Amino acid sequence: MYRALKPLLFQLSAETAHGAIHAVLRGVESASPARSALDRWYGVDDDRLRVRAFGNEFPNPVGVAAGFDKNAHVPQSLAALGFGHLEVGGVTAERQPGNPKPRMFRLPEDEAIINRMGFNNDGADAIGARLDANPLPDVPVGINIGKSKSTPLDEAADDYGYTYERVAEAGDYFVVNVSSPNTPGLRDLQHSDALREILTALVEAGASPLLVKFSPDLSREGIAAGVELAEELDLDGIIAVNTTTEREGLRHPKRVEEGGLSGAPLRERATSTVRFVAERTDLPVVGVGGVFTAADAYEKIRAGASVVQLYTGMVYRGPSIATEINRGLLALLERDGFDSVGDAVGADL
Ligand SMILES: Cc1cc2nc3c(=O)[nH]c(=O)nc-3n(C[C@H](O)[C@H](O)[C@H](O)COP(=O)(O)O)c2cc1C
């Protein structure tokens, strides 16, 4: 059905299409029979897909990446589409409009998106209250925390801390996002001293499980230092990766747009970062970037990812993407003689 719908959606601007999909999902969110029907249609229930990582039990390894449900409007609907977890946000302490539109661009020839949304979100007070008031799905729900645009970098720790306190009750895990390219200076926080201050503040506030999400544009030394810091502070995992500002190999004219690039062109870079991280730590790694198919997910799992996430893949492949990946993963596990996803994690290291 998505094959029929996609040309129509692709006539709309990327953000308008996203809004249309969200409107449908919001309808589903409040309609329990619709959610049950989707769940029956899209769910792939198989013990071999179950993963335990950073204190959570994932029914399958395919999650929704941060940015898709920034305001926590549709967590149950996403779970009903067969996803094994989802990450709400980025949430910032302050409510923010984000950058002026247009700020999200599809590059169909490249199967990519460039976005410079700039953390548009309802803010920690509203999102925390929404999460507390509404039922959540029975798959893990992570909360991705970003920095408010107006907060100076040297006050970032308090800003992240404020948001954490507002979403603390609802999250099954928490992510410090210092890797979005669309908030000026944010990625500078990946350097050790600033990152140490933010992570320490959250650890002291009781944020657990706590993960940190890195940019693929950070140098290898920078990532290695981040991994060491995560170990030293006893964090629970690492997410690799966020969008990139690189533009190599793109064909579509929109490649000149400013912002973070996601999708197929990010795939290899993301996988090599997953491998780089997994080679350096026993902390669980969440692999994200260019996951469209079971083979893509499997590659990241074999490179060391315990679970994977996707955003751009859903735009290009549609709502059955989690189902297709999970079914495909079962076939790949069987082909290679693995009893479960867990057995395949890091098989290529
Ligand atoms: C429109 C859009 C908004 C995003 N917003 C966030 C965000 O708020 N926080 C974050 O950590 N990542 C955000 N991301 C990055 C994704 O979570 C993911 O790391 C990246 O898109 C790579 O995965 P993909 O190739 O499957 O899209 C966003 C991505 C897109 C396309």
Side-chain angles (χ1 to χ4, degrees):
M1 193 171 94
Y2 191 66
R3 213 175 295 164
L5 202 61
K6 190 173 156 188
L8 298 176
L9 282 171
F10 273 43
Q11 299 267 315
L12 305 172
S13 81
E15 193 164 350
T16 307
H18 184 75
I21 298 284
H22 250 254
V24 173
L25 292 176
R26 280 180 79 162
V28 170
E29 190 74 10
S30 52
S32 143
R35 287 201 315 275
S36 306
L38 288 181
D39 199 33
R40 276 195 302 277
W41 183 259
Y42 288 111
V44 182
D45 186 13
D46 192 302
D47 280 346
R48 290 171 294 172
L49 292 172
R50 289 185 198 287
V51 178
R52 270 198 75 81
F54 46 92
N56 281 285
E57 197 60 80
F58 298 84
N60 68 66
V62 186
V64 182
F68 191 89
D69 191 15
K70 284 182 181 281
N71 292 314
H73 280 304
V74 293
Q76 295 189 100
S77 305
L78 291 172
L81 293 177
F83 286 98
H85 75 280
L86 50 115
E87 198 169 301
V88 161
V91 184
T92 59
E94 287 170 21
R95 179 188 178 89
Q96 303 190 147
N99 289 320
K101 293 179 189 174
R103 54 193 179 176
M104 182 177 177
F105 308 90
R106 282 181 303 252
L107 290 69
E109 285 104 302
D110 303 305
E111 292 197 298
I113 289 176
I114 292 175
N115 92 83
R116 51 170 179 268
M117 306 302 284
F119 285 154
N120 55 311
N121 78 108
D122 291 346
D125 292 344
I127 296 173
R130 184 171 302 135
L131 283 163
D132 290 343
N134 295 328
L136 290 172
D138 53 9
V139 302
V141 176
I143 318 273
N144 182 283
I145 306 179
K147 184 188 78 67
S148 311
K149 188 175 179 188
S150 68
T151 299
L153 291 178
D154 60 0
E155 290 169 26
D158 285 347
D159 193 77
Y160 282 88
Y162 180 91
T163 300
Y164 166 67
E165 296 294 347
R166 305 273 148 343
V167 297
E169 278 303 306
D172 293 311
Y173 69 91
F174 305 92
V175 181
V176 172
N177 173 15
V178 279
S179 46
S180 287
N182 303 312
T183 293
L186 187 83
R187 301 199 301 175
D188 295 341
L189 296 174
Q190 290 176 115
H191 298 297
S192 284
D193 287 348
L195 188 57
R196 177 185 296 277
E197 200 184 321
I198 296 166
L199 294 176
T200 304
L202 289 177
V203 168
E204 282 171 1
S208 172
L210 184 61
L211 290 80
V212 59
K213 182 171 179 178
F214 289 123
S215 158
D217 304 336
L218 194 58
S219 67
R220 288 305 196 218
E221 300 77 58
I223 293 181
V227 170
E228 253 176 55
L229 183 63
E231 287 204 325
E232 183 194 324
L233 298 178
D234 227 358
L235 257 54
D236 301 280
I238 287 166
I239 305 194
V241 292
N242 215 311
T243 55
T244 176
T245 53
E246 290 284 321
R247 293 292 186 268
E248 226 177 83
L250 299 181
R251 292 182 298 158
H252 194 280
K254 292 255 163 68
R255 64 181 181 264
V256 298
E257 292 293 346
E258 253 176 58
L261 172 75
S262 58
L266 183 58
R267 183 176 300 138
E268 253 182 65
R269 188 104 174 261
T271 306
S272 78
T273 310
V274 166
R275 183 175 297 112
F276 182 84
V277 171
E279 277 167 353
R280 271 156 193 78
T281 182
D282 289 333
L283 291 176
V285 183
V286 176
V288 49
V291 174
F292 284 50
T293 65
D296 300 337
Y298 192 53
E299 196 174 55
K300 282 195 171 48
I301 290 167
R302 292 187 60 123
S306 295
V307 294
V308 300
Q309 300 179 329
L310 60 90
Y311 183 146
T312 307
M314 188 147 43
V315 172
Y316 285 96
R317 299 296 162 94
S320 58
I321 189 166
T323 316
E324 283 158 21
I325 293 179
N326 280 317
R327 287 195 185 133
L329 275 176
L330 286 171
L332 290 167
L333 292 174
E334 211 158 295
R335 183 195 71 187
D336 294 348
F338 292 117
D339 290 336
S340 68
V341 168
D343 286 347
V345 173
D348 286 344
L349 293 178

